[in-house]
Amino acid sequence: MKKVEAIVRHFKLEDVKNALTEQGIDGMTVSEVRGFGRQKGHTEIYRGTEYAIDFVPKVKIEVVCSEDSLQLVVDTILQTAQTGQIGDGKIFITNLEDAIRIRTGERGEDAL
């Protein structure tokens, strides 16, 4: 099993969710996060004063999938979340040792 974590722009969340659902990917966790990468934040002007915004708001989407569907998940997120601009986000893939469904006690891919 693999865990895919994608950090994307807020306005791309619905597109990514819909695209993954259309591909038959069931279940995801979404969190609002803040951070920065190469873009190093941005500046905003409020009442004539310029403020540095170090942390940019983003959305983190977490999907746990089988190794067989990993490439489908990654490709779907890449195609849907990409705008071509700096700050589109990142995708992280990690190995997942086990998953357990609390209600039934099912383990591994059966728990997905």
Side-chain angles (χ1 to χ4, degrees), residues 16-95:
V16 171
K17 180 190 74 110
N18 293 336
L20 287 171
T21 302
E22 286 174 12
Q23 295 295 331
I25 305 302
D26 296 324
M28 66 185 69
T29 301
V30 176
S31 307
E32 293 200 20
V33 296
R34 294 172 6 136
F36 66 90
R38 290 185 179 163
Q39 67 191 107
K40 305 276 193 274
H42 64 278
T43 58
E44 290 184 3
I45 297 176
Y46 178 71
R47 293 189 177 184
T49 305
E50 190 171 310
Y51 294 92
I53 308 297
D54 293 333
F55 294 102
V56 179
K58 301 280 183 170
V59 174
K60 179 164 78 169
I61 302 167
E62 297 174 276
V63 177
V64 176
C65 62
S66 66
E67 293 215 24
D68 296 339
S69 60
L70 174 64
Q71 198 58 51
L72 176 67
V73 170
V74 171
D75 290 344
T76 301
I77 294 170
L78 274 174
Q79 292 169 5
T80 311
Q82 189 176 56
T83 68
Q85 304 290 319
I86 292 174
D88 273 352
K90 296 247 187 333
I91 297 175
F92 303 101
I93 301 167
T94 55
N95 290 319

